[in-house]
Amino acid sequence: MITIDCKDVLSIKNELIIYVSDQAAAIPTLNHHQFSLSTFDDDEVIDTNRVITSIKEFLDSIGEGHNFAVISKNEIIIIKSITGKIIERSTVTQSDMFSCTHCGFVTRYEVELKTHMLIHYL
């Protein structure tokens, strides 16, 4: 499992999660100021370099690549502002998002999450 610290890019965290988890073929799990990526199979390993590259690609795609550094230490990747700049975007706050602990499915509605989680117990 790899943990990505997003304290400096909270306003784009949800978009970043979708892009990076898709590129790394991993299951995302939301946390307060970070998210974690895990594999579909416990025997597989997530390619840390691929995750870092995906984060950099995403930041470049929104024109912020030169303002942020992506730092890796063991299983933790930190996205740190170089210039002190904060990305300002209106997004749904973390408290308004619900994430499935089994597969990483994300929704804004608790009822939808509960319905979704039922499929894991069929």
Side-chain angles (χ1 to χ4, degrees):
M1 180 167 29
I2 295 177
T3 301
I4 296 90
D5 183 339
C6 301
K7 289 179 186 165
D8 288 356
V9 292
L10 281 178
S11 66
I12 61 166
K13 182 175 78 169
N14 294 335
E15 298 167 32
L16 181 65
I17 290 169
I18 294 167
Y19 183 79
V20 173
S21 64
D22 187 47
Q23 294 295 314
I27 302 169
T29 304
L30 295 170
N31 296 321
H32 189 58
H33 292 291
Q34 60 191 17
F35 66 95
S36 299
L37 297 173
S38 55
T39 59
F40 294 103
D41 184 9
D42 291 336
D43 296 334
E44 294 179 19
V45 177
I46 298 173
D47 183 5
T48 305
N49 291 329
R50 181 65 194 137
V51 173
I52 292 169
T53 301
S54 299
I55 293 169
K56 289 179 179 180
E57 286 172 357
F58 182 81
L59 291 172
D60 286 339
S61 74
I62 62 170
E64 296 291 345
H66 60 282
N67 291 323
F68 292 90
V70 181
I71 305 162
S72 174
K73 183 177 182 182
N74 298 328
E75 297 295 312
I76 298 174
I77 297 173
I78 301 169
I79 304 169
K80 192 73 179 158
S81 175
I82 297 171
T83 61
K85 180 180 179 180
I86 296 174
I87 299 173
E88 304 265 347
R89 287 192 179 176
S90 60
T91 61
V92 177
T93 62
Q94 174 67 29
S95 61
D96 292 341
M97 298 297 286
F98 299 94
S99 175
C100 176
T101 56
H102 299 289
C103 68
F105 171 76
V106 179
T107 181
R108 295 174 64 184
Y109 308 104
E110 186 174 11
V111 173
E112 184 179 10
L113 175 65
K114 288 180 180 181
T115 303
H116 163 82
M117 288 185 74
L118 291 174
I119 67 169
H120 294 292
Y121 300 104
L122 294 177

